[in-house]
Amino acid sequence: MVTDGLRSPAHDDGAAPAEETAVPAEPGSARWWTERALVDRRRRPRAGGLSTERIVETALEILREEGLEALTVRSVAERLGTSNASLYRHIASRDELIALIADHVMGDIRLDRTGRGWRADVEALMLEMRRVILSQPLPPSAGRSKSGSGSGPNMLRLVEFALALYREAGLTDRQAVYTTITMIEFVGGSTNIRRSPAGRGSNGVAGAADLRQLLDGLPADDFPALRTAGNLYTAASADDVFTHGMTLFLDGVASQLPSNQ
Amino acid sequence: MVTDGLRSPAHDDGAAPAEETAVPAEPGSARWWTERALVDRRRRPRAGGLSTERIVETALEILREEGLEALTVRSVAERLGTSNASLYRHIASRDELIALIADHVMGDIRLDRTGRGWRADVEALMLEMRRVILSQPLPPSAGRSKSGSGSGPNMLRLVEFALALYREAGLTDRQAVYTTITMIEFVGGSTNIRRSPAGRGSNGVAGAADLRQLLDGLPADDFPALRTAGNLYTAASADDVFTHGMTLFLDGVASQLPSNQ
DNA sequence: ACCTGAACACCGTTCAAGT
DNA sequence: ACCTGAACACCGTTCAAGT
């Protein structure tokens, strides 16, 4: 399954004189970011013309104002006052656009030390990550879910910051790497589900009544634990769950520090 | 933003005589599952006709054989030998189909006790969840990312099992609920990113060389931690990272047990 | 090198008409 | 109640032709 992304079932192996490009890099992957940096260098933008930057910012506007479904190549072009075909001079596909947006947004994450030790630093970082990811309107994992994700400049900057944090806290290089990746996955996972239908910043409480009703309709004897814990389950806010999960994570990290052994 | 899912910008408030339905429930939400259970009861299937079950199973075939992009309402209809319009007698939209698939797949998760204590039980459960989620071919969070997710019958069955596990381990009701949700989010998050371009069961090692090259091209002084930890970062396998994260999680849970205080 | 109108090959969904 | 052909209103992407 090498020609992923192509629609035609016909492969053209050997037809082209093999210009080293072989398989096109998947948007968001390490190779894609590498190749993109090279291509970007030989651009000759015109006065008042398009640019990747302008495209991404316009796309982000649409995303925030109208949601993911409204974000089409055509809608971006329209808002920019050009034809949709013009965008393909700067991005090769809609997937590329989304990969660019995903990393662009991560640039909003503030990377600050609190001065109150590693645990406070990590906690602040995780809350900040969550804040920014949730400020992204709709595609909970649109960009992040792609394979090889996390290779964009802003994600690398985040990884660098986190690695240093964990190393200074006392973890080994190996532990720091694994813990950093785990942290990123965990925060991402916490924003994937249990967001209320309304979207944005709501806490899941909105759907509590609906969930309550669903549980009430269940066969009484088949879900004893869910029955007794019912109210807690339906009313659990996403923020509280995140705080709890973060505590578990931090406790786990703490138990690996040399000072703890 | 109440008319989510509709394309027309025109609202028809007051036009319809308000048949209690108001806003249509979002596919995968608690209310949607509840309403669906009712509708399913008054079906009168014909001999050899369609059924939601057949549609979901056919869709899953396409998903496994050809990936998410190939899964269209039309392709499902074609494989079933009917017109695409016919499917709309059983599902109201493609989103509904995906929500049904997402929960259907969760039915493959085996819920067994190991007999070796809560920690072994939780570990087995998490590995089993991960196995099944990764066996789902491509939509890492297609169904799970929708708001209010986790209300399908198979997810409820999983939640029930996990709640009982944590309660018996010694957590309070509240802790058990929060820990269960955290666990589900964590496992989901671990399958969202860092899967190799090839898809399936690969461990991220596939893209190691590409990532290595990307790091080598970075400004030397800006990423010191990433530089020194570089090889570990590029070569980290998704399975090893998951195992590490699971250990952090389990250690965190252990520290909350009464026996630990 | 950049931009564009027009077209191609798809989508999901609806609806009137049939059984 | 169920099924369907045909159509509607979109998509992403390509390509020849322009500057």
Side-chain angles (χ1 to χ4, degrees), chain B residues 9-207:
Chain B
H11 297 198
D12 51 67
D13 301 19
E19 224 218 24
E20 274 309 329
T21 47
V23 185
E26 188 172 1
S29 70
R31 186 154 67 84
W32 179 79
W33 283 108
T34 304
E35 290 173 3
R36 196 174 170 78
L38 297 177
V39 173
D40 261 355
R41 242 181 290 255
R42 71 175 92 112
R43 285 202 177 282
R44 234 161 300 275
R46 293 188 185 171
L50 284 179
S51 71
T52 304
E53 194 68 14
R54 278 188 68 206
I55 292 174
V56 169
E57 264 155 23
T58 304
L60 207 44
E61 277 177 29
I62 295 174
L63 203 56
R64 290 203 214 274
E65 293 173 20
E66 308 175 49
L68 181 62
E69 286 183 20
L71 176 62
T72 66
V73 176
R74 287 172 134 92
S75 69
V76 175
E78 191 187 16
R79 197 177 277 231
L80 282 166
T82 59
S83 96
N84 44 320
S86 299
L87 301 197
Y88 286 88
R89 199 79 356 217
H90 301 85
I91 54 165
S93 67
R94 183 178 189 264
D95 280 350
E96 286 205 358
L97 177 56
I98 289 178
L100 287 169
I101 295 174
D103 191 75
H104 183 90
V105 168
M106 296 305 165
D108 287 345
I109 298 175
R110 287 190 296 262
L111 304 177
D112 299 319
R113 300 291 187 110
T114 65
R116 288 181 281 110
W118 72 268
R119 186 158 179 141
D121 284 347
V122 171
E123 203 169 307
L125 174 60
M126 292 175 77
L127 287 170
E128 173 70 1
M129 288 173 65
R130 180 171 159 85
R131 181 188 70 80
V132 169
I133 292 172
L134 288 180
S135 79
Q136 214 178 347
L138 287 177
S141 62
R144 286 171 284 132
S145 73
K146 306 302 276 189
S147 64
S149 167
S151 304
N154 285 313
M155 275 308 281
L156 289 180
R157 170 181 149 273
L158 173 68
V159 168
E160 169 69 25
F161 181 80
L163 278 180
L165 216 50
Y166 288 122
R167 279 298 282 125
E168 289 175 36
L171 293 182
T172 65
D173 271 337
R174 199 187 116 99
Q175 285 173 326
V177 164
Y178 285 29
T179 302
T180 296
I181 299 173
T182 297
M183 176 187 70
I184 293 170
E185 290 177 348
F186 169 68
V187 178
S190 82
T191 61
N192 270 348
I193 43 180
R194 287 192 64 79
R195 297 170 71 193
S196 90
R200 301 318 197 91
S202 184
N203 292 356
V205 181

Side-chain angles (χ1 to χ4, degrees), chain A residues 2-16:
Chain A
V2 145
T3 52
D4 206 327
L6 294 182
R7 254 169 213 193
S8 160
H11 297 199
D12 50 71
D13 302 18

Side-chain angles (χ1 to χ4, degrees), chain A residues 55 58-59 62 71-81 87 97:
Chain A
I55 292 173
T58 304
I62 295 174
L71 176 62
T72 66
V73 175
R74 286 171 135 93
S75 69
V76 175
E78 191 187 15
R79 197 177 277 231
L80 281 165
L87 300 198
L97 177 57

Side-chain angles (χ1 to χ4, degrees), chain A residues 1 4-7 26 29-31 33-34 65-66 69 95 138 140-153 155-157 159-160 163-164 167 173-175 177-182 184-186 188-199 207 210-215 218 222-229 232-233 235-238 240-242 244-249 251-253 255-256, chain B residues 1 4-7 26 29-31 33-34 65-66 69 95 138 140-153 155-157 159-160 163-164 167 173-175 177-182 184-186 188-199 207 210-215 218 222-229 232-233 235-238 240-242 244-249 251-253 255-256:
Chain A
M1 190 60 69
D4 206 327
L6 294 182
R7 254 169 213 193
E26 188 171 1
S29 69
R31 186 152 67 84
W33 282 108
T34 304
E65 292 172 20
E66 307 175 49
E69 286 183 20
D95 280 351
L138 288 177
S141 63
R144 286 171 284 133
S145 72
K146 307 301 276 186
S147 64
S149 167
S151 303
M155 276 306 281
L156 289 179
R157 170 182 149 272
V159 168
E160 169 68 24
L163 277 180
R167 278 299 282 126
D173 270 337
R174 200 187 116 100
Q175 285 173 328
V177 163
Y178 284 29
T179 302
T180 295
I181 299 173
T182 296
I184 293 170
E185 289 177 348
F186 169 68
S190 83
T191 61
N192 270 349
I193 44 181
R194 287 190 64 79
R195 297 169 69 192
S196 92
D210 293 334
L211 191 48
R212 178 77 261 166
Q213 190 182 346
L214 179 68
L215 295 187
L218 255 35
D222 288 353
F223 298 88
L226 210 41
R227 282 270 166 164
T228 58
L232 288 161
Y233 186 69
S237 91
D240 288 348
V241 171
F242 178 72
H244 182 261
M246 186 165 65
T247 300
L248 295 183
F249 172 80
D251 287 348
V253 174
S255 75
Q256 295 201 322
Chain B
M1 191 60 69
D4 206 328
L6 295 181
R7 255 170 211 192
E26 188 172 1
S29 70
R31 186 154 67 84
W33 283 108
T34 304
E65 293 173 20
E66 308 175 49
E69 286 183 20
D95 280 350
L138 287 177
S141 62
R144 286 171 284 132
S145 73
K146 306 302 276 189
S147 64
S149 167
S151 304
M155 275 308 281
L156 289 180
R157 170 181 149 273
V159 168
E160 169 69 25
L163 278 180
R167 279 298 282 125
D173 271 337
R174 199 187 116 99
Q175 285 173 326
V177 164
Y178 285 29
T179 302
T180 296
I181 299 173
T182 297
I184 293 170
E185 290 177 348
F186 169 68
S190 82
T191 61
N192 270 348
I193 43 180
R194 287 192 64 79
R195 297 170 71 193
S196 90
D210 293 334
L211 192 48
R212 179 77 260 166
Q213 190 182 345
L214 179 67
L215 295 187
L218 254 34
D222 289 353
F223 297 89
L226 209 41
R227 283 271 166 162
T228 57
L232 288 162
Y233 185 70
S237 91
D240 288 349
V241 171
F242 179 71
H244 183 262
M246 186 167 63
T247 300
L248 295 182
F249 172 80
D251 287 348
V253 174
S255 75
Q256 294 201 323

